[in-house]
Coordinates of all heavy atoms in Angstrom, one line a residue:
A22 N 22.6 48.1 35.4 CA 23.9 47.5 35.7 C 24.3 46.6 34.6 O 25.5 46.6 34.2 CB 23.8 46.8 37.0
L23 N 23.4 45.8 34.0 CA 23.8 44.9 32.9 C 24.3 45.6 31.7 O 25.4 45.3 31.2 CB 22.6 44.0 32.5 CG 22.8 43.1 31.4 CD1 23.9 42.1 31.6 CD2 21.5 42.4 31.1
L24 N 23.6 46.7 31.3 CA 24.0 47.4 30.1 C 25.4 48.1 30.4 O 26.2 48.1 29.5 CB 22.9 48.4 29.7 CG 21.6 47.8 29.3 CD1 20.6 49.0 29.0 CD2 21.8 47.0 28.0
A25 N 25.5 48.7 31.5 CA 26.8 49.4 31.8 C 27.9 48.4 31.8 O 29.0 48.7 31.3 CB 26.7 50.1 33.2
N26 N 27.7 47.2 32.4 CA 28.8 46.3 32.5 C 29.3 45.6 31.2 O 30.4 45.4 31.0 CB 28.5 45.1 33.6 CG 28.7 45.6 35.0 OD1 29.7 46.1 35.4 ND2 27.7 45.4 35.8
L27 N 28.2 45.4 30.3 CA 28.6 44.9 29.0 C 29.5 45.9 28.2 O 30.5 45.5 27.6 CB 27.3 44.6 28.2 CG 26.5 43.4 28.7 CD1 25.2 43.3 27.9 CD2 27.3 42.1 28.5
G28 N 29.1 47.1 28.3 CA 29.9 48.2 27.5 C 31.3 48.3 28.2 O 32.3 48.4 27.5
I29 N 31.3 48.3 29.5 CA 32.6 48.5 30.2 C 33.5 47.3 30.0 O 34.7 47.5 29.8 CB 32.3 48.7 31.7 CG1 31.6 50.0 32.0 CG2 33.6 48.6 32.5 CD1 31.1 50.2 33.4
A30 N 33.0 46.1 30.0 CA 33.8 44.9 29.8 C 34.4 44.9 28.4 O 35.6 44.6 28.3 CB 32.9 43.6 29.9
L31 N 33.7 45.3 27.4 CA 34.3 45.4 26.0 C 35.5 46.4 26.0 O 36.5 46.0 25.4 CB 33.2 45.8 25.0 CG 33.7 45.9 23.6 CD1 34.2 44.6 23.1 CD2 32.5 46.4 22.7
T32 N 35.3 47.5 26.5 CA 36.4 48.5 26.5 C 37.6 48.1 27.3 O 38.7 48.4 27.0 CB 35.8 49.9 27.0 OG1 35.3 49.8 28.3 CG2 34.8 50.4 26.1
K33 N 37.3 47.4 28.4 CA 38.4 47.0 29.3 C 39.2 45.9 28.6 O 40.5 45.9 28.6 CB 37.9 46.4 30.6 CG 37.4 47.5 31.6 CD 36.8 46.9 32.8 CE 36.3 47.9 33.8 NZ 35.6 47.3 34.9
F34 N 38.6 45.0 27.8 CA 39.3 44.0 27.1 C 40.2 44.6 26.0 O 41.3 44.1 25.8 CB 38.3 43.0 26.5 CG 38.0 41.8 27.4 CD1 36.7 41.6 27.8 CD2 39.0 41.0 27.9 CE1 36.3 40.5 28.7 CE2 38.7 39.9 28.7 CZ 37.4 39.7 29.1
V35 N 39.6 45.6 25.3 CA 40.4 46.3 24.3 C 41.6 46.9 24.9 O 42.7 46.8 24.4 CB 39.5 47.3 23.6 CG1 40.4 48.2 22.7 CG2 38.4 46.7 22.8
A36 N 41.4 47.6 26.1 CA 42.6 48.2 26.8 C 43.6 47.2 27.2 O 44.8 47.4 27.1 CB 42.1 49.0 28.0
W37 N 43.2 46.0 27.7 CA 44.1 45.0 28.1 C 44.9 44.5 26.9 O 46.1 44.3 27.0 CB 43.3 43.9 28.8 CG 44.2 42.7 28.9 CD1 45.3 42.5 29.7 CD2 44.0 41.4 28.3 NE1 45.8 41.2 29.6 CE2 45.0 40.5 28.7 CE3 43.1 40.9 27.3 CZ2 45.1 39.2 28.3 CZ3 43.2 39.6 26.9 CH2 44.2 38.8 27.3
L38 N 44.2 44.2 25.8 CA 44.9 43.8 24.6 C 46.0 44.7 24.1 O 47.0 44.3 23.6 CB 43.9 43.5 23.5 CG 42.9 42.3 23.7 CD1 41.9 42.3 22.6 CD2 43.8 41.0 23.7
L39 N 45.7 46.0 24.3 CA 46.7 47.0 23.8 C 47.8 47.2 24.8 O 48.9 47.6 24.3 CB 45.9 48.4 23.6 CG 44.9 48.4 22.4 CD1 44.2 49.7 22.4 CD2 45.6 48.1 21.1
T40 N 47.6 47.1 26.1 CA 48.6 47.4 27.1 C 49.1 46.3 27.9 O 50.2 46.4 28.5 CB 48.0 48.4 28.1 OG1 46.9 47.8 28.8 CG2 47.4 49.7 27.3
S41 N 48.4 45.1 27.9 CA 48.8 44.0 28.7 C 48.8 44.3 30.2 O 49.5 43.6 31.0 CB 50.2 43.5 28.4 OG 50.2 43.0 27.0
S42 N 48.0 45.2 30.6 CA 47.9 45.6 32.0 C 47.0 44.6 32.8 O 45.9 44.2 32.4 CB 47.2 47.0 32.2 OG 46.8 47.2 33.5
S43 N 47.6 44.0 33.9 CA 46.9 43.0 34.6 C 45.7 43.6 35.3 O 44.6 42.9 35.5 CB 47.8 42.3 35.7 OG 48.3 43.3 36.6
S44 N 45.8 44.8 35.7 CA 44.6 45.5 36.4 C 43.5 45.6 35.4 O 42.3 45.4 35.8 CB 45.0 46.9 36.8 OG 45.9 46.9 37.9
M45 N 43.8 45.9 34.1 CA 42.7 46.0 33.1 C 42.1 44.6 32.9 O 40.9 44.5 32.7 CB 43.3 46.6 31.8 CG 43.7 48.0 31.9 SD 42.5 49.1 32.5 CE 41.1 48.8 31.4
L46 N 42.9 43.6 32.8 CA 42.4 42.3 32.7 C 41.5 41.8 33.8 O 40.4 41.3 33.6 CB 43.5 41.2 32.5 CG 43.1 39.8 32.3 CD1 42.1 39.6 31.1 CD2 44.3 38.9 32.2
A47 N 41.9 42.1 35.1 CA 41.2 41.8 36.3 C 39.8 42.5 36.2 O 38.8 42.0 36.5 CB 41.9 42.1 37.5
E48 N 39.9 43.8 35.8 CA 38.6 44.6 35.8 C 37.7 44.1 34.6 O 36.5 44.1 34.8 CB 39.0 46.1 35.6 CG 39.2 46.8 36.9 CD 38.0 46.8 37.8 OE1 36.9 47.2 37.4 OE2 38.1 46.3 38.9
A49 N 38.3 43.7 33.5 CA 37.5 43.2 32.4 C 36.8 41.9 32.9 O 35.6 41.7 32.6 CB 38.4 42.9 31.2
I50 N 37.5 41.0 33.5 CA 36.8 39.7 34.0 C 35.8 40.1 35.1 O 34.7 39.5 35.1 CB 37.9 38.8 34.6 CG1 38.9 38.4 33.5 CG2 37.3 37.6 35.3 CD1 38.3 37.6 32.4
H51 N 36.1 41.1 35.9 CA 35.1 41.6 36.9 C 33.8 42.0 36.2 O 32.7 41.6 36.7 CB 35.7 42.7 37.7 CG 34.9 43.3 38.8 ND1 35.2 44.4 39.5 CD2 33.6 42.9 39.2 CE1 34.2 44.7 40.3 NE2 33.2 43.8 40.2
S52 N 34.0 42.8 35.2 CA 32.8 43.3 34.5 C 32.0 42.1 33.8 O 30.8 42.1 33.8 CB 33.1 44.3 33.4 OG 33.7 45.5 34.0
V53 N 32.7 41.1 33.3 CA 32.1 40.0 32.7 C 31.3 39.2 33.8 O 30.2 38.8 33.6 CB 33.1 39.0 32.0 CG1 32.5 37.7 31.6 CG2 33.7 39.7 30.8
A54 N 31.9 39.0 34.9 CA 31.3 38.3 36.0 C 30.0 39.1 36.5 O 29.0 38.5 36.7 CB 32.3 38.2 37.2
D55 N 30.2 40.4 36.6 CA 29.0 41.2 37.0 C 27.8 41.1 36.0 O 26.7 41.0 36.3 CB 29.4 42.7 37.1 CG 30.1 42.9 38.5 OD1 30.1 42.0 39.3 OD2 30.6 44.0 38.7
S56 N 28.2 41.1 34.6 CA 27.2 41.0 33.6 C 26.4 39.6 33.8 O 25.2 39.5 33.6 CB 27.8 41.1 32.2 OG 28.4 42.3 32.1
G57 N 27.2 38.5 34.0 CA 26.6 37.2 34.2 C 25.8 37.2 35.4 O 24.7 36.6 35.4
N58 N 26.2 38.0 36.5 CA 25.4 38.0 37.7 C 24.1 38.7 37.5 O 23.0 38.2 38.0 CB 26.2 38.7 38.8 CG 27.4 37.9 39.3 OD1 27.4 36.7 39.1 ND2 28.3 38.6 39.9
Q59 N 24.1 39.8 36.7 CA 22.8 40.4 36.4 C 21.8 39.5 35.6 O 20.6 39.5 35.9 CB 23.0 41.8 35.7 CG 23.3 42.9 36.6 CD 24.8 43.3 36.7 OE1 25.4 43.4 35.7 NE2 25.3 43.4 37.9
L60 N 22.4 38.8 34.7 CA 21.6 37.8 34.0 C 21.0 36.7 34.9 O 19.8 36.3 34.8 CB 22.4 37.1 32.9 CG 22.7 38.0 31.6 CD1 23.7 37.3 30.7 CD2 21.4 38.4 30.9
L61 N 21.8 36.3 35.9 CA 21.3 35.3 36.8 C 20.2 35.9 37.6 O 19.2 35.2 37.9 CB 22.5 34.9 37.8 CG 23.5 33.9 37.2 CD1 24.6 33.8 38.3 CD2 22.9 32.6 36.9
L62 N 20.3 37.1 38.1 CA 19.2 37.8 38.8 C 17.9 37.9 38.0 O 16.8 37.6 38.5 CB 19.6 39.1 39.3 CG 20.7 39.2 40.3 CD1 21.1 40.7 40.7 CD2 20.3 38.4 41.6
I63 N 18.1 38.2 36.7 CA 16.9 38.3 35.8 C 16.3 36.9 35.7 O 15.0 36.8 35.7 CB 17.3 38.9 34.5 CG1 17.6 40.4 34.7 CG2 16.1 38.8 33.5 CD1 18.2 41.1 33.4
I64 N 17.1 35.9 35.4 CA 16.6 34.5 35.2 C 15.9 34.1 36.5 O 14.8 33.4 36.5 CB 17.7 33.6 34.8 CG1 18.2 34.0 33.4 CG2 17.2 32.2 34.8 CD1 19.5 33.2 33.0
G65 N 16.6 34.3 37.6 CA 16.0 33.9 38.9 C 14.6 34.5 39.1 O 13.7 33.9 39.6
G66 N 14.5 35.8 38.8 CA 13.2 36.5 39.0 C 12.1 35.9 38.2 O 11.0 35.8 38.6
R67 N 12.5 35.6 37.0 CA 11.4 35.0 36.0 C 11.0 33.6 36.4 O 9.9 33.2 36.4 CB 11.9 35.1 34.6 CG 12.1 36.5 34.1 CD 12.2 36.6 32.6 NE 12.3 38.0 32.2 CZ 12.3 38.3 30.9 NH1 12.3 37.5 29.9 NH2 12.3 39.6 30.6
R68 N 12.0 32.8 36.8 CA 11.7 31.4 37.1 C 11.0 31.3 38.5 O 10.2 30.4 38.6 CB 13.0 30.6 37.2 CG 13.7 30.4 35.9 CD 14.8 29.3 36.0 NE 14.2 28.1 36.3 CZ 14.9 27.0 36.5 NH1 16.3 27.0 36.5 NH2 14.3 25.8 36.8
S69 N 11.2 32.3 39.3 CA 10.5 32.3 40.6 C 9.0 32.5 40.5 O 8.2 32.3 41.3 CB 11.0 33.3 41.5 OG 10.7 34.6 41.1
Q70 N 8.5 32.9 39.3 CA 7.1 33.2 39.0 C 6.3 32.0 38.5 O 5.1 32.1 38.3 CB 7.0 34.4 38.0 CG 7.5 35.7 38.5 CD 7.5 36.8 37.4 OE1 7.1 36.5 36.3 NE2 7.9 38.0 37.8
Q71 N 7.0 30.9 38.5 CA 6.3 29.6 38.1 C 5.1 29.3 39.1 O 5.3 29.6 40.3 CB 7.2 28.4 38.1 CG 8.4 28.6 37.1 CD 9.3 27.4 37.2 OE1 9.1 26.3 36.6 NE2 10.4 27.6 37.9
E72 N 4.1 28.7 38.6 CA 3.0 28.4 39.4 C 3.3 27.3 40.4 O 4.2 26.4 40.1 CB 1.8 27.9 38.6 CG 1.2 29.1 37.7 CD 0.5 30.2 38.5 OE1 0.0 29.8 39.6 OE2 0.5 31.3 38.0
A73 N 2.7 27.2 41.5 CA 3.0 26.2 42.5 C 2.5 24.9 42.0 O 1.6 24.8 41.1 CB 2.2 26.5 43.8
T74 N 3.2 23.8 42.4 CA 2.9 22.4 41.9 C 2.6 21.6 43.2 O 2.9 22.0 44.3 CB 4.0 21.9 41.1 OG1 5.2 21.7 41.9 CG2 4.2 22.7 39.9
S75 N 2.2 20.3 42.9 CA 2.1 19.4 44.1 C 3.4 19.1 44.7 O 3.5 18.8 45.9 CB 1.4 18.1 43.6 OG 2.2 17.5 42.6
E76 N 4.4 19.1 44.0 CA 5.8 18.9 44.5 C 6.3 20.1 45.2 O 7.1 20.0 46.2 CB 6.7 18.5 43.4 CG 8.1 18.0 43.9 CD 9.0 17.5 42.7 OE1 8.6 17.6 41.6 OE2 10.1 17.0 43.1

Side-chain angles (χ1 to χ4, degrees):
L23 174 60
L24 294 175
N26 280 312
L27 286 174
I29 291 170
L31 179 61
T32 57
K33 287 176 181 175
F34 272 119
V35 172
W37 167 67
L38 289 171
L39 293 174
T40 64
S41 299
S42 166
S43 63
S44 291
M45 293 307 306
L46 178 58
E48 274 298 304
I50 297 299
H51 178 189
S52 294
V53 170
D55 281 353
S56 299
N58 289 340
Q59 273 101 51
L60 286 174
L61 284 174
L62 293 177
I63 292 173
I64 293 170
R67 294 195 174 185
R68 293 194 64 186
S69 70
Q70 296 175 357
Q71 298 176 81
E72 294 293 332
T74 64
S75 58
E76 188 176 5

